[in-house]
């Protein structure tokens, strides 16, 4: 050993070793950069390392030999003194044999010298390095060519022509270990959502097809997924399995041809334990994306699954169930599950983003938290999060539009991005562009229900009523049992005057298993009864619609009826003041906005101001989060109500007109006639009958779909009654008789206390008819 170390020092091999190590490090760094940027396969760095390790002893041996030979040559060339020969030496020389002829075999020493001189040379070492580099490049190039040409095991499914770029596939639920199967399915869905090679169809499409097949919901196995894919004309399905093996888990994913059932590709991975499960799913998903045909560079650039989702398998499972509840419009269940997922992992950015679109009351908080965690998201989810943040928190519409357009550059068929881009165009008042984006969202993803909602509502607002009806028909065809189809049908029937059909369309919702849908339907039926003057029946239905009804909440609701239907101001005040006095401060704090509005409406400025100031304190967080573009509307609304209470009617009318102009600047295509009734009390107080008539008739002709019944419930009877009286006063008896007749028809079965007004309208109508012959 000492001799070897001595020789290493003597022959300067440390320098050679250092230079080779430095050169190898540089080569490996260059290879790593090429792998990342050029999308070379994962085995390329390993091949480079193997070749460098093979070359190391060759270079070391060459240096050892060549340095030794140089020293020998130097020794041979050095001058030496030749001693005189003795007589005996000379005689010996003469008697020694003659030199060996050229044809004689070389000695062992000579052969070794030749081998060293002709094999272990720097020329050969450099040539070997070049050959190794050529082999390395050729192997990589051949693999890339085979991958792109779809030849052999290196060929991708896209290259082989088995699927097309952008192919839509059905993702079956994972089978096997039930505790992990749901999380595995969600994890793979997240990963494939990042892939531009395939597009996983939304669960809503699968549910819709199964409904048409009259198959109950439940886990979607591979065979059922194939049935869905075949009905929809899709080429392939993706299915997986999770199986336990001791403490580890074997994960397998297969791409299966729809018609034949042949396995197109199978990839597998092993999780050492439950803690390694999501990391193993990440590795599995990347393998699958590679075999499908996705760029290796884009696969490597994707965030690890645990970072893009959550490190908690249980949190991912709850998130998956929340997605299902959201698609079923069971928002209460979705919110509860998202809260549970966030409780398990407070940095679960996807859950925060979903909460922002599920829980309106916490939208800003959830969107802000998701934005803060955006680096823990996939590229696609990150774009969505930033766009929602600018839509709902900063209210920077231009920035939101820029974000969603950038997302669509990368993922042109992202229906959510198209829909959200439409929302922001609508917020800018660009209704035509908004309708175009909503329409594209429906076209690329006809099985996401809320895209239809937005498109139908906007088309109706901007006057495309027939187009809205066509979209509703398509919605009903794809989602025959969806609750929003029932809502829209009911709304259309009501606006067309078919109240009986409108109520019939609500029937399925009244018996829904989802509590929030039952409450909303009961609210609608209650409004129908109040509109008809059946206040007692309306109240009974309303009670079923209100969750956690308090005495104060009941008093506020009844006081508005006293004020707007019975015209019993004294009774309304007495009822409300008793309830406020008996209620705890916490309940009063929750109602200060409504109380302020009520007292301004009856002309009590002092009480109105007191509750308004209290609202600024107890509701300061909500007020602080009101978008800047809405602040002028908030301020004008308060000022107009206060001026009405003060009797400053001219000022109130100016405020109302400014309010209408401000709202028009930011409205999403809303018909201005929607707000026409607001200043009517001021015009009434000033005796401006023509303005009252114009405002009422504008309001009656408004284009309003979803909220028309709610505003009609209290205002419509008064509008008919007052228009009849005003036209009567003007001498336009035909118009007067018409409006009296509408009130008589509407309130034909109204409560007894309302019948004197019905009798008066009927008597006057009949008198006019008799007078006109």
């Amino acid at each position: 050993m000492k001799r070897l170390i001595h020789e290493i020092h003597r022959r300067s091999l440390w320098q050679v070793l250092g230079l080779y190590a430095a050169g190898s490090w540089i080569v490996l760094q260059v290879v790593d950069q090429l792998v990342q940027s050029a999308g070379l396969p994962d085995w390329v760095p390993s091949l480079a390392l193997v070749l460098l390790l093979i070359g190391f002893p060759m270079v070391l041996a060459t240096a050892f030999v060549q340095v030794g030979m140089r020293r020998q040559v130097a020794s041979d060339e050095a001058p030496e003194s030749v001693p005189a020969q003795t007589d005996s030496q000379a005689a010996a020389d003469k008697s020694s044999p003659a030199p060996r002829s050229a044809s004689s075999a070389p000695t062992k020493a000579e052969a070794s010298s030749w081998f060293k001189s002709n094999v272990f040379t720097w020329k050969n070492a450099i040539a070997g390095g070049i050959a190794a580099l050529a082999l390395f490049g050729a192997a990589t190039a051949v693999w890339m060519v085979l991958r792109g040409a779809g030849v052999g095991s290196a060929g991708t499914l896209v290259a082989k022509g088995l699927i097309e770029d952008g192919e839509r596939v059905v993702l079956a639920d994972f089978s096997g270990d039930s505790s992990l199967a749901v999380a595995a399915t969600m994890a793979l869905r997240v990963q494939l959502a990042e892939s531009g090679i395939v597009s996983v169809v939304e669960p809503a499409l699968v549910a819709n097809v199964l409904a048409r097949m009259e198959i109950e919901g439940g886990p979607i196995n591979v065979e059922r997924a194939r049935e869905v894919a075949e009905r929809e004309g899709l080429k392939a399905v993706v299915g997986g399995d999770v199986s336990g093996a001791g403490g580890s888990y074997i994960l397998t994913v297969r791409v299966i041809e729809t018609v034949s059932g042949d396995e197109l590709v199978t990839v597998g991975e092993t999780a050492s334990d439950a803690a390694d499960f999501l990391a193993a799913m990440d590795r599995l998903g990347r393998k699958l994306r590679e075999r499908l045909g996705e760029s290796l560079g884009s696969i490597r650039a994707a965030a690890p699954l645990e970072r893009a989702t959550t490190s908690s398998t249980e949190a991912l499972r709850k998130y998956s169930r929340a997605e299902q509840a959201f698609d079923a419009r069971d928002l209460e269940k979705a919110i509860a599950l998202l809260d549970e997922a966030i409780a398990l992992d407070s940095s679960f950015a996807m859950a925060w983003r979903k909460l922002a679109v599920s829980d309106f009351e916490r939208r800003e908080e959830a969107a802000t938290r998701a934005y803060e965690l955006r680096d823990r998201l996939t590229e696609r989810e990150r774009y969505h999060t930033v766009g929602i943040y600018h839509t709902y928190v900063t209210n920077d519409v231009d920035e939101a539009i820029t974000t969603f357009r950038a997302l669509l550059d990368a993922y042109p068929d992202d229906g959510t991005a198209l829909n959200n881009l439409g929302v922001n165009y609508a917020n800018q008042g660009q209704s035509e562009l908004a309708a175009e984006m909503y329409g594209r969202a429906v076209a690329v993803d006809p099985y996401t229900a809320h895209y239809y909602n937005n498109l139908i509502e906007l088309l109706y607002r901007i006057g495309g009523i027939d187009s809205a009806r066509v979209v509703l028909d398509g919605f009903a065809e794809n989602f025959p049992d969806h609750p929003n189809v029932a809502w829209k049908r009911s709304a259309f029937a009501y606006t067309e005057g078919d109240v009986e059909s409108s109520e019939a369309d609500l029937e399925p919702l009244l018996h829904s298993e989802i509590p929030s849908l039952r409450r909303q339907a009961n609210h609608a039926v209650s409004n129908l009864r109040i509109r008809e003057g059946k206040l007692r029946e309306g109240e009974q239905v309303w009670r079923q619609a209100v969750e956690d009804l308090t005495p104060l909440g009941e008093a506020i609701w009844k006081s508005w009826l006293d004020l707007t239907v019975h015209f019993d101001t004294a009774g309304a005040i007495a009822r409300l003041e008793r309830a406020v006095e008996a209620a705890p401060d916490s309940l009063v704090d929750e109602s200060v906005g409504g109380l302020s509005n009520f007292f301004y409406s009856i002309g009590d400025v002092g009480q109105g101001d007191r509750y308004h100031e209290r609202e600024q304190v107890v509701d300061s967080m909500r007020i602080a989060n009101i978008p800047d573009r809405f602040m002028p509307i908030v301020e004008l609304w308060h000022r107009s109500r206060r001026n009405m209470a003060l009797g400053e009617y001219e000022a109130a009318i100016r405020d109302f007109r400014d309010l209408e102009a401000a709202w028009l600047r930011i409205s999403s295509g809303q018909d201005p006639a929607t707000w026409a009734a607001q200043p009517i009390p001021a015009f009434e107080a000033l005796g401006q009958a023509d303005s009252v008539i114009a405002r009422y008739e504008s309001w009656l002709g408004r284009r309003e779909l979803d909220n028309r019944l709610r505003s009609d419930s209290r205002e419509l009877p008064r509008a008919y009654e007052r228009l009849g009286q005003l036209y009567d006063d003007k001498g336009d008896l035909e118009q007067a008789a018409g409006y009296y007749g509408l009130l008589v028809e509407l309130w034909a079965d109204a409560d007894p206390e309302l019948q004197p007004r019905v009798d008066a309208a009927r008597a006057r109508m009949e008198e006019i008819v008799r007078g006109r012959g």
Side-chain angles (χ1 to χ4, degrees):
M1 180 60 70
K2 290 182 179 180
R3 180 175 178 79
L4 176 61
I5 294 174
H6 173 73
E7 287 299 311
I8 289 175
H9 281 293
R10 187 174 71 83
R11 297 170 187 261
S12 303
L13 297 187
W14 291 119
Q15 292 92 323
V16 174
L17 179 62
L19 287 172
Y20 191 83
S24 298
W25 183 84
I26 291 172
V27 168
L28 290 174
Q29 293 303 306
V30 170
V31 168
D32 184 65
Q33 289 299 314
L34 287 173
V35 167
Q36 299 300 324
S37 60
L40 299 181
D42 289 333
W43 51 260
V44 166
S46 299
L47 176 61
L49 180 61
V50 168
L51 292 175
L52 289 169
L53 289 174
I54 292 173
F56 175 70
M58 304 299 295
V59 169
L60 200 62
T62 300
F64 192 90
V65 169
Q66 291 300 313
V67 171
M69 290 184 65
R70 285 199 302 272
R71 291 183 183 278
Q72 182 62 44
V73 169
S75 175
D76 291 344
E77 291 178 352
E80 298 179 5
S81 58
V82 180
Q85 288 182 319
T86 62
D87 291 340
S88 60
Q89 288 173 328
D93 288 342
K94 289 179 182 180
S95 62
S96 63
R100 185 168 41 86
S101 67
S103 61
S104 302
T107 67
K108 183 177 180 180
E110 289 173 333
S112 176
S113 176
W114 179 91
F115 188 75
K116 293 176 181 178
S117 301
N118 291 276
V119 176
F120 289 106
T121 66
W122 288 119
K123 179 180 179 181
N124 287 350
I126 293 171
I130 293 173
L133 180 62
L135 175 64
F136 174 78
T140 304
V142 167
W143 187 90
M144 296 294 284
V145 169
L146 292 176
R147 185 176 192 268
V151 177
S153 60
T156 68
L157 296 188
V158 170
K160 291 178 179 181
L162 297 175
I163 63 171
E164 297 180 5
D165 195 351
E167 188 80 47
R168 296 171 70 220
V169 298
V170 178
L171 176 60
D173 292 320
F174 270 62
S175 60
D177 191 315
S178 59
S179 65
L180 295 174
V182 173
T185 306
M186 190 70 236
L188 190 59
R189 182 178 293 278
V190 170
Q191 289 179 291
L192 293 181
E194 285 294 283
S195 173
I197 296 297
V198 296
S199 173
V200 179
V201 300
E202 292 296 326
L205 180 147
V206 177
N208 181 271
V209 174
L210 293 177
R212 295 203 304 267
M213 295 165 63
E214 298 183 351
I215 295 175
E216 292 291 333
I220 310 300
N221 59 29
V222 170
E223 290 307 313
R224 188 157 290 176
R226 285 179 57 200
E227 291 182 54
V228 171
E230 189 166 5
R231 281 176 173 262
E232 291 299 306
L234 306 179
K235 291 182 179 179
V237 303
V238 179
D241 178 75
V242 183
S243 58
S248 62
Y249 298 92
I250 299 172
L251 313 174
T252 308
V253 171
R254 301 173 183 84
V255 181
I256 300 167
E257 203 274 330
T258 298
V259 177
S260 68
D262 294 339
E263 291 186 8
L264 304 180
V265 68
T266 300
V267 295
E269 188 60 62
T270 300
S272 57
D273 52 31
D276 185 45
F277 174 74
L278 287 176
M281 281 301 304
D282 182 65
R283 299 190 296 270
L284 184 72
R286 291 172 191 267
K287 285 182 181 179
L288 178 61
R289 290 164 67 180
E290 178 182 341
R291 293 304 310 277
L292 289 171
E294 186 175 349
S295 159
L296 297 177
S298 67
I299 295 173
R300 294 190 185 100
L305 183 63
E306 287 191 39
R307 180 173 178 80
T309 56
T310 173
S311 58
S312 168
T313 304
E314 180 63 20
L316 188 61
R317 185 159 49 241
K318 289 185 181 295
Y319 176 83
S320 178
R321 291 173 57 202
E323 286 269 21
Q324 295 169 3
F326 182 87
D327 289 338
R329 302 313 296 159
D330 190 347
L331 296 184
E332 291 180 355
K333 183 177 180 180
I335 292 167
L337 286 165
L338 290 170
D339 283 337
E340 291 175 18
I342 290 168
L344 290 166
D345 181 1
S346 61
S347 61
F348 192 174
M350 283 178 66
W352 281 110
R353 186 186 81 80
K354 195 68 180 181
L355 188 64
V357 298
S358 303
D359 189 344
F360 297 156
E361 293 182 0
R362 291 186 288 167
R363 173 169 281 173
E364 292 81 6
E365 173 197 352
T368 300
R369 183 62 177 143
Y371 181 79
E372 292 169 350
L373 296 167
R374 64 191 180 279
D375 290 339
R376 294 183 55 85
L377 293 166
T378 63
E379 178 189 55
R380 199 170 190 168
E381 283 283 329
R382 187 161 53 250
Y383 272 125
H384 280 301
T385 297
V386 173
I388 284 175
Y389 176 74
H390 289 304
T391 300
Y392 297 126
V393 180
T394 68
N395 292 281
D396 188 338
V397 176
D398 291 334
E399 190 61 35
I401 288 173
T402 299
T403 301
F404 286 122
R405 291 182 66 177
L407 171 55
L408 288 167
D409 287 341
Y411 305 96
D413 292 336
D414 191 307
T416 301
L418 288 165
N419 178 75
N420 290 344
L421 185 57
V423 169
N424 282 280
Y425 278 138
N427 288 340
Q428 276 191 336
Q430 299 190 66
S431 299
E432 298 296 334
L433 265 177
E436 179 187 344
M437 294 302 108
Y438 292 151
R440 284 179 57 191
V442 168
V444 301
D445 185 4
Y447 294 100
T448 296
H450 63 272
Y451 300 164
Y452 291 94
N453 285 340
N454 291 344
L455 180 57
I456 291 168
E457 181 68 24
L458 182 58
L459 288 173
Y460 195 95
R461 285 180 182 176
I462 63 179
I465 297 174
D466 291 339
S467 297
R469 170 66 78 179
V470 170
V471 175
L472 176 56
D473 290 342
F475 187 13
E477 181 179 352
N478 288 330
F479 295 90
D481 299 320
H482 198 283
N484 286 343
V485 170
W487 279 119
K488 294 301 181 190
R489 281 177 166 164
S490 176
F492 264 97
Y494 180 76
T495 59
E496 292 166 359
D498 189 351
V499 176
E500 184 176 348
S501 294
S502 178
E503 185 169 349
D505 287 328
L506 294 173
E507 189 65 25
L509 303 178
L510 292 169
H511 303 288
S512 171
E513 295 180 357
I514 300 174
S516 60
L517 291 178
R518 290 199 304 272
R519 288 196 294 271
Q520 291 171 33
N522 277 310
H523 268 298
V525 174
S526 173
N527 286 331
L528 283 172
R529 296 294 174 269
I530 292 168
R531 170 185 175 274
E532 295 164 353
K534 302 174 183 178
L535 305 185
R536 293 181 181 83
E537 188 177 341
E539 180 183 345
Q540 290 174 354
V541 179
W542 173 79
R543 287 178 178 279
Q544 299 176 45
V546 180
E547 186 179 19
D548 301 326
L549 179 61
T550 65
L552 178 58
E554 180 180 358
I556 291 173
W557 188 81
K558 287 186 173 181
S559 295
W560 277 111
L561 281 184
D562 291 337
L563 195 64
T564 58
V565 180
H566 293 295
F567 307 138
D568 182 4
T569 302
I573 294 172
R575 183 195 300 276
L576 194 55
E577 287 183 341
R578 285 195 304 270
V580 168
E581 185 176 352
D585 286 346
S586 59
L587 282 180
V588 176
D589 286 345
E590 293 176 4
S591 307
V592 286
L595 291 169
S596 173
N597 188 32
F598 177 85
F599 283 106
Y600 281 144
S601 296
I602 63 173
D604 189 336
V605 179
Q607 287 278 60
D609 284 347
R610 185 165 69 85
Y611 283 114
H612 176 72
E613 291 165 4
R614 187 169 174 177
E615 180 186 18
Q616 305 307 300
V617 176
V618 301
D619 216 6
S620 58
M621 287 296 293
R622 180 191 63 80
I623 294 169
N625 286 325
I626 293 175
D628 290 341
R629 63 196 181 96
F630 287 117
M631 285 309 298
I633 292 173
V634 172
E635 292 165 0
L636 283 166
W637 171 254
H638 171 251
R639 197 167 70 199
S640 65
R641 304 299 291 175
R642 192 171 189 276
N643 279 331
M644 278 293 299
L646 288 169
E648 301 288 344
Y649 302 120
E650 295 284 1
I653 289 170
R654 288 194 299 271
D655 292 336
F656 277 122
R657 285 173 173 159
D658 290 343
L659 177 63
E660 289 171 345
W663 188 250
L664 274 175
R665 285 193 294 271
I666 65 167
S667 73
S668 53
Q670 203 162 6
D671 185 355
T674 303
W675 322 300
Q678 295 296 333
I680 284 178
F683 287 118
E684 289 271 26
L686 293 171
Q688 297 180 12
D690 289 341
S691 294
V692 174
I693 290 172
R695 286 278 174 166
Y696 266 135
E697 292 191 329
S698 176
W699 179 76
L700 288 174
R702 69 196 184 279
R703 292 189 308 273
E704 186 177 28
L705 186 61
D706 286 346
N707 295 319
R708 187 182 185 99
L709 173 58
R710 184 173 62 183
S711 52
D712 272 2
S713 61
R714 292 181 176 87
E715 299 294 334
L716 186 63
R718 177 59 174 166
Y720 287 161
E721 182 178 41
R722 198 67 190 104
L723 283 169
Q725 294 167 350
L726 291 169
Y727 274 117
D728 204 348
D729 293 342
K730 287 172 64 70
D732 190 340
L733 301 183
E734 184 176 352
Q735 287 277 45
Y739 282 115
Y740 285 138
L742 289 172
L743 176 64
V744 169
E745 181 183 3
L746 182 63
W747 273 7
D749 298 315
D751 290 346
E753 63 268 27
L754 300 178
Q755 286 302 322
R757 290 163 61 186
V758 177
D759 293 340
R762 182 184 293 108
R764 181 55 184 149
M765 176 187 67
E766 291 173 350
E767 183 181 355
I768 292 172
V769 171
R770 285 196 302 270
R772 295 174 66 85

